[in-house]
Amino acid sequence: MKVPTLAVILGLGALASAEVFLHESFSDGEGWKDRWTPSASRADLGNFEVSAGKWAADASKQVGLRTTEDYRFYAASRPFDKPFNNKDKDFVVQFNVKNEQKIGCGGSYVKIFSDKFDAANFSGDSEYNVMFGPDICGSKAMVHAILQYKGKNYDLKKQVSAPTDVYTHAYTFVIKPDQTYEVLVDGDVKASGNIVEDWDVLPPKMIKDPEASKPADWVDEAEIDDPEDVKPADWDAIPEFIADPDATKPEDWDDEMDGDWEPPSINNPEYKGPWTPRRIANPAYKGEWVHPEIENPDFKMDDSIYNYQFNNIGFDLWQVESGTVFSDILVTDSVDEAKAARDVTLALAKEEPAAKEAYDEKNKPVEADTPVADEAAPAANDAPADIDLDEELDEPAAKEQVKEEAPKEEPKEAAKEKPVKDEL
């Protein structure tokens, strides 16, 4: 009998103690409408539907909330399964995005709110605690990680690129009690560090000393003119332009009529330009002056920046091209719980290229076959027609005679002519 190792026991214990505060799988059909509240902040918001999209590796496992209308704002939200205060706990939010429409411009992020959130009036002005997820428009494809601190929003200073293909990707944001964080895309860490350093939530620890200034005698010129260098006596005797030695006086030049002929000027190849003394190292150079810094008296460390009260989650989006599918939304205090869910997502995502290929093949436009024209053949029941060749030969002449005998039309009256522009 195999005895479980300590690592396995600890791992099982971590999963057992993990709490899930929200897990939205959209797996109950239209039941999502009982949990999600569409915003009433404006009348022209786009509609969501539950769907796995036009194609999926496993439609039953990849169903999600899908945008359905182009050029629309979207706003809908739902409460957590249970409130989450992440004091002394990891905060992990994770969800999947499939932009199967090859989105050109639109957001695909979530916003997470406190208990002061008003779902009915949810809009872009609603205060949130965290905003996280991809945002694509034109050549810009980035992953936002925005934190609210004392009523102001701060975006992550590091750049995280968002995938721009049509397949499902998992986005994970982890914030720890020691105020470190990780941003993962498909399980790969794309950014990590400390909140204080990577968000400008606090003023800088150090500032330039306002009492310090560069000394008046500070020499910061690295080079100077050589005082011993002297301009040659004949330097200015060399002209910039000279007469073209290859030019000749035109044969038809008339000195009395055209004046004295002078050859055109050309650049003098021996001209060296204005004289400047050579440069030498400045013996008095002290280097670049660096403004001394002091501790910022306005800086006060806050060890609770990471700590939020979470109660609601929602989508507040603008999309030019609809068709984005949001699936498997998870908020937990366990990175292991998130990894377990993500592993399922990524395993299915590997099968999506084949699923899309099958969908494209099935829906490929059918090329119509060009029908081959059959030679005209008389029907079996048709009797052969009696044709008088003499009448057929005389018919064109008769038509020509009628044409010549037809009376010519009289020209229309001048009054009925189209009026000229000045008469209108």
Side-chain angles (χ1 to χ4, degrees):
M1 182 179 68
K2 293 185 178 179
V3 178
T5 64
L6 179 60
V8 171
I9 295 173
L10 291 175
L12 292 173
L15 283 173
S17 63
E19 275 194 274
V20 174
F21 301 92
L22 168 70
H23 189 193
E24 177 61 87
S25 64
F26 302 102
S27 59
D28 57 347
E30 294 301 298
W32 73 277
K33 293 181 178 178
D34 297 329
R35 298 183 297 275
W36 289 78
T37 301
S39 174
S41 62
R42 54 189 297 166
D44 59 346
L45 291 172
N47 292 315
F48 287 104
E49 69 175 5
V50 165
S51 170
K54 296 179 179 179
W55 49 266
D58 187 332
S60 65
K61 296 179 181 178
Q62 293 184 295
V63 67
L65 205 59
R66 181 175 181 267
T67 57
T68 64
E69 299 175 80
D70 295 347
Y71 295 97
R72 284 289 185 271
F73 287 99
Y74 292 84
S77 62
R78 62 153 290 178
F80 277 21
D81 297 327
K82 52 184 175 180
F84 180 22
N85 188 308
N86 67 322
K87 181 175 174 60
D88 299 327
K89 295 181 178 180
D90 289 349
F91 162 77
V92 185
V93 58
Q94 179 173 279
F95 63 103
N96 305 328
V97 176
K98 181 174 76 164
N99 286 316
E100 69 175 17
Q101 75 277 38
K102 187 65 177 176
I103 194 167
C105 190
S108 305
Y109 40 77
V110 296
K111 291 182 176 180
I112 308 176
F113 308 87
S114 70
D115 57 346
K116 299 179 176 61
F117 174 67
D118 181 0
N121 295 305
F122 177 26
S123 72
D125 296 327
S126 300
E127 183 177 291
Y128 57 84
N129 289 335
V130 172
M131 173 178 143
F132 173 65
D135 190 8
I136 297 171
C137 198
S139 60
K140 296 181 67 175
M142 62 184 297
V143 178
H144 287 294
I146 300 178
L147 303 178
Q148 179 270 133
Y149 182 70
K150 294 184 176 181
K152 188 175 179 181
N153 298 330
Y154 298 89
D155 206 347
L156 174 65
K157 292 188 289 186
K158 294 179 179 178
Q159 292 293 316
V160 178
S161 298
T164 57
D165 57 49
V166 297
Y167 304 111
T168 299
H169 296 280
Y171 295 87
T172 313
F173 187 23
V174 180
I175 299 177
K176 294 180 174 293
D178 62 359
Q179 309 216 104
T180 59
Y181 74 95
E182 287 184 337
V183 173
L184 301 90
V185 179
D186 295 336
D188 297 327
V189 177
K190 299 298 183 180
S192 62
N194 188 281
I195 292 176
V196 175
E197 296 172 357
D198 292 346
W199 280 264
D200 289 328
V201 292
L202 298 179
K205 293 181 181 180
M206 304 295 291
I207 60 171
K208 292 179 179 179
D209 185 355
E211 303 295 329
S213 60
K214 186 170 71 173
D217 61 348
W218 188 272
V219 179
D220 52 12
E221 189 177 8
E223 292 184 337
I224 59 172
D225 293 342
D226 184 355
E228 298 182 0
D229 192 18
V230 180
K231 182 171 72 172
D234 61 346
W235 187 276
D236 293 331
I238 303 173
E240 183 177 358
F241 301 100
I242 59 173
D244 185 356
D246 296 327
T248 57
K249 180 179 178 181
E251 294 181 359
D252 58 350
W253 187 274
D254 189 330
D255 290 339
E256 294 184 359
M257 296 291 294
D258 301 327
D260 293 336
W261 180 81
E262 295 181 357
S265 296
I266 60 172
N267 291 325
N268 186 353
E270 297 183 4
Y271 179 68
K272 300 179 181 179
W275 182 84
T276 55
R278 64 174 174 266
R279 303 281 287 175
I280 61 172
N282 187 353
Y285 178 60
K286 297 182 178 180
E288 294 291 333
W289 184 75
V290 178
H291 201 128
E293 293 186 334
I294 61 171
E295 291 186 357
N296 185 356
D298 296 328
F299 175 81
K300 183 179 180 180
M301 187 60 190
D302 185 352
D303 294 326
S304 65
I305 299 172
Y306 79 96
N307 183 207
Y308 293 98
Q309 177 63 47
F310 297 113
N311 294 74
N312 299 272
I313 193 167
F315 296 104
D316 169 36
L317 312 169
W318 161 258
Q319 289 198 338
V320 174
E321 303 92 355
S322 63
T324 300
V325 178
F326 302 95
S327 62
D328 204 36
I329 306 171
L330 176 68
V331 178
T332 179
D333 60 2
S334 169
V335 293
D336 293 327
E337 189 80 24
K339 182 181 183 304
R342 187 171 61 241
D343 287 345
V344 174
T345 293
L346 299 182
L348 289 169
K350 289 181 179 179
E351 301 175 17
E352 286 186 336
K356 183 179 184 304
E357 185 178 352
Y359 171 83
D360 291 341
E361 181 66 26
K362 182 179 179 181
N363 292 272
K364 183 170 60 176
V366 178
E367 297 181 2
D369 295 333
T370 304
V372 179
D374 295 333
E375 292 184 3
N381 296 330
D382 288 348
D386 294 328
I387 301 175
D388 190 332
L389 293 178
D390 293 333
E391 287 183 10
E392 291 295 315
L393 293 173
D394 292 339
E395 186 176 357
K399 289 182 178 180
E400 190 66 28
Q401 182 178 1
V402 172
K403 183 177 179 181
E404 291 177 358
E405 292 176 0
K408 295 182 180 179
E409 289 187 15
E410 294 294 327
K412 295 181 179 179
E413 297 178 5
K416 295 183 179 180
E417 292 180 357
K418 183 177 179 181
V420 295
K421 185 175 181 181
D422 293 340
E423 294 175 346
L424 295 178

